[in-house]
Amino acid sequence: MKPRNKTIPFFEKINTTQNKIIMKTMFLCLFLSISFAYISEKTGWLEIDWKIIFIPALLVLQIIIIGTALKNRYKKH
């Protein structure tokens, strides 16, 4: 009996090499932001508002999206 491979087409489009790199970059940026805020708070060097901790990861995502859009816009055919 042949095993059935059930894949959802939506996840096949998301699970690409480019998207994996983007997700790793966002997680790295988020990790660095949280660790910087935690260390700053524990040492008393800088007071961080925990509500704005996700802004650097969102900025990285916006930069990646805009860069990709510009690259695709001016791609030579």
Side-chain angles (χ1 to χ4, degrees), residues 18-77:
Q18 181 77 17
N19 289 344
K20 287 179 185 177
I21 292 171
I22 291 171
M23 291 301 290
K24 287 179 184 179
T25 306
M26 285 181 53
F27 284 132
L28 176 65
C29 186
L30 186 63
F31 173 74
L32 290 174
S33 299
I34 290 173
S35 61
F36 176 76
Y38 180 76
I39 291 170
S40 297
E41 185 176 300
K42 288 298 177 185
T43 59
W45 178 64
L46 189 64
E47 232 175 89
I48 302 289
D49 186 13
W50 287 95
K51 295 175 188 171
I52 61 170
I53 242 0
F54 298 103
I55 290 178
L58 293 175
L59 288 174
V60 168
L61 177 63
Q62 288 177 350
I63 290 169
I64 291 171
I65 289 172
I66 291 170
T68 305
L70 288 174
K71 185 175 71 174
N72 289 339
R73 170 79 169 102
Y74 296 109
K75 189 187 305 184
K76 294 183 180 180
H77 295 286

Side-chain angles (χ1 to χ4, degrees), residues 4-12:
R4 294 187 324 179
N5 187 6
K6 289 186 178 181
T7 57
I8 301 171
F10 177 71
F11 289 119
E12 287 179 357

